């Protein structure tokens, strides 16, 4: 099954027309014709079964035959991850985290961040593509970048964790600290780790210090290890 995405398709619609870019891809690249079945998600959990009624490469129109709402996971995972110096490494994290099952991502700008400016337009497209490739119907939420200090001052009610590399305090392995079926929030720092003041502030805000293992991991690797740990715990 090949999955398409549009935020404009809705359960009360009887017909749906793809935008020009997607229409060209469907008709010219995939060579889909009138009568072919297309599966579409709105990113909100709904999977639509549609049939092409107009195979125009400028406005491919479909008739909605049916739709079903897929059950949401019994947990919610939000990772706040510092941007990496090389964009492609962060993009790799976004793609793989989406495939595994993340729900929300926030790029956080830290004191040691080497990349202070982040443009999320390409990130959003990578997340959408990964959702479609992995046949999921819930699109992870990508937030705009925010400084860690401002992020910590927000009122987060989730199970909160911070993964850092400092050895001057006791930490538990993340996989041993996760209660099942909860809402989680984990902080992952930049290549130079969180500063001592950032760690202290996070602890004051109720974040629990956790370890992701006995080796030092790159930012994107640490984030992905964490995603797998949360998802595996809730399987």
């Amino acid at each position: 099954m090949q999955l398409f995405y549009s935020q404009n398709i809705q359960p009360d619609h009887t017909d749906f027309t793809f935008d020009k870019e997607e229409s060209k891809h469907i008709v010219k690249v995939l060579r889909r014709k009138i009568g072919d079945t297309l599966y579409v998600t709105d990113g909100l959990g709904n999977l639509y079964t549609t049939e092409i009624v107009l195979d125009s490469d400028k406005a491919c129109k479909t008739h909605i035959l049916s739709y079903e709402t897929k059950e949401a996971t019994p947990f919610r995972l939000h990772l706040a991850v510092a941007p990496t110096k090389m964009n492609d490494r962060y993009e790799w994290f976004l793609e793989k985290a989406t495939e595994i099952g993340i729900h929300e991502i926030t790029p956080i700008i830290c004191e040691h961040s080497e990349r202070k400016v982040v443009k999320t337009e390409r990130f959003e497209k990578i997340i959408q593509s990964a959702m479609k490739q992995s046949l999921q119907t819930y699109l992870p939420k990508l937030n705009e970048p925010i400084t860690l200090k401002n992020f910590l001052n927000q009122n987060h009610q989730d199970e909160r964790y911070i993964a850092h590399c400092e050895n001057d305090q006791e930490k538990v392995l993340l996989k041993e600290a996760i209660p099942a079926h909860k809402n989680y929030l984990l902080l992952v720092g930049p290549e130079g780790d969180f500063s001592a003041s950032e760690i202290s502030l996070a602890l004051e805000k109720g974040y629990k210090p956790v370890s992701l293992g006995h080796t030092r991991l790159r930012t994107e690797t640490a984030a992905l290890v964490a995603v797998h740990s949360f998802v595996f715990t809730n399987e």
Side-chain angles (χ1 to χ4, degrees):
M1 183 178 79
Q2 184 166 14
L3 186 62
F4 298 88
Y5 163 72
S6 176
Q7 62 181 353
N8 297 320
I9 191 169
Q10 296 180 18
D12 60 351
H13 289 173
T14 56
D15 297 288
F16 174 73
T17 302
F18 288 94
D19 62 27
K20 185 176 180 178
E21 181 180 358
E22 193 74 290
S23 295
K24 183 177 180 180
H25 178 69
I26 291 170
V27 177
K28 291 294 187 180
V29 178
L30 300 178
R31 299 189 181 279
R32 298 298 181 90
K33 303 292 186 182
I34 292 176
D36 285 352
T37 299
L38 298 180
Y39 297 96
V40 189
T41 182
D42 53 11
L44 301 175
N46 296 311
L47 177 63
Y48 301 80
T49 301
T50 73
E51 179 181 323
I52 297 178
V53 294
L54 178 62
D55 51 2
S56 167
D57 62 355
K58 293 182 176 58
C60 180
K61 183 177 180 180
T62 66
H63 176 65
I64 299 175
L65 303 174
S66 64
Y67 82 93
E68 60 178 314
T69 302
K70 299 292 185 179
E71 185 177 359
T73 60
F75 70 99
R76 181 170 178 82
L77 175 57
H78 180 184
L79 255 64
V81 184
T84 53
K85 182 179 180 180
M86 303 300 293
N87 253 341
D88 60 343
R89 287 164 49 192
Y90 204 83
E91 292 170 1
W92 178 84
F93 150 66
L94 293 173
E95 178 185 73
K96 302 309 176 187
T98 300
E99 291 178 14
I100 295 171
I102 199 170
H103 300 88
E104 186 171 356
I105 305 109
T106 301
I108 48 172
I109 309 302
C110 306
E111 290 182 23
H112 296 161
S113 291
E114 294 189 65
R115 180 175 292 277
K116 302 285 188 179
V117 178
V118 179
K119 298 180 180 180
T120 58
E121 183 178 353
R122 177 171 165 80
F123 288 173
E124 186 67 49
K125 290 182 179 180
I126 289 171
I127 291 173
Q128 292 176 13
S129 178
M131 175 194 67
K132 293 187 291 183
Q133 188 276 328
S134 55
L135 301 181
Q136 299 187 64
T137 57
Y138 288 90
L139 180 69
K141 180 182 180 183
L142 177 64
N143 297 314
E144 288 299 314
I146 185 174
T147 64
L148 177 61
K149 182 177 180 180
N150 287 340
F151 184 81
L152 290 174
N153 285 330
Q154 294 177 348
N155 184 28
H156 297 287
Q157 298 298 317
D158 317 81
E159 295 285 328
R160 302 183 297 282
Y161 308 92
I162 178 172
H164 64 80
C165 300
E166 295 298 319
N167 296 317
D168 59 350
Q169 60 184 261
E170 185 177 347
K171 294 179 285 187
V172 298
L173 285 172
L174 177 62
K175 66 179 183 179
E176 297 175 357
I178 303 172
H181 300 173
K182 298 286 186 177
N183 292 342
Y184 315 103
L185 170 56
L186 174 70
L187 306 177
V188 178
E191 283 90 335
D193 201 10
F194 296 109
S195 69
S197 61
E198 288 173 333
I199 295 172
S200 296
L201 181 58
L203 298 181
E204 291 175 10
K205 296 291 185 179
Y207 286 77
K208 304 170 187 175
V210 293
S211 169
L212 299 176
H214 302 296
T215 60
R216 176 163 291 194
L217 305 174
R218 288 181 179 271
T219 296
E220 71 277 13
T221 310
L224 201 61
V225 167
V227 172
H228 180 267
S229 297
F230 283 110
V231 173
F232 185 77
T233 296
N234 286 278
E235 285 292 332

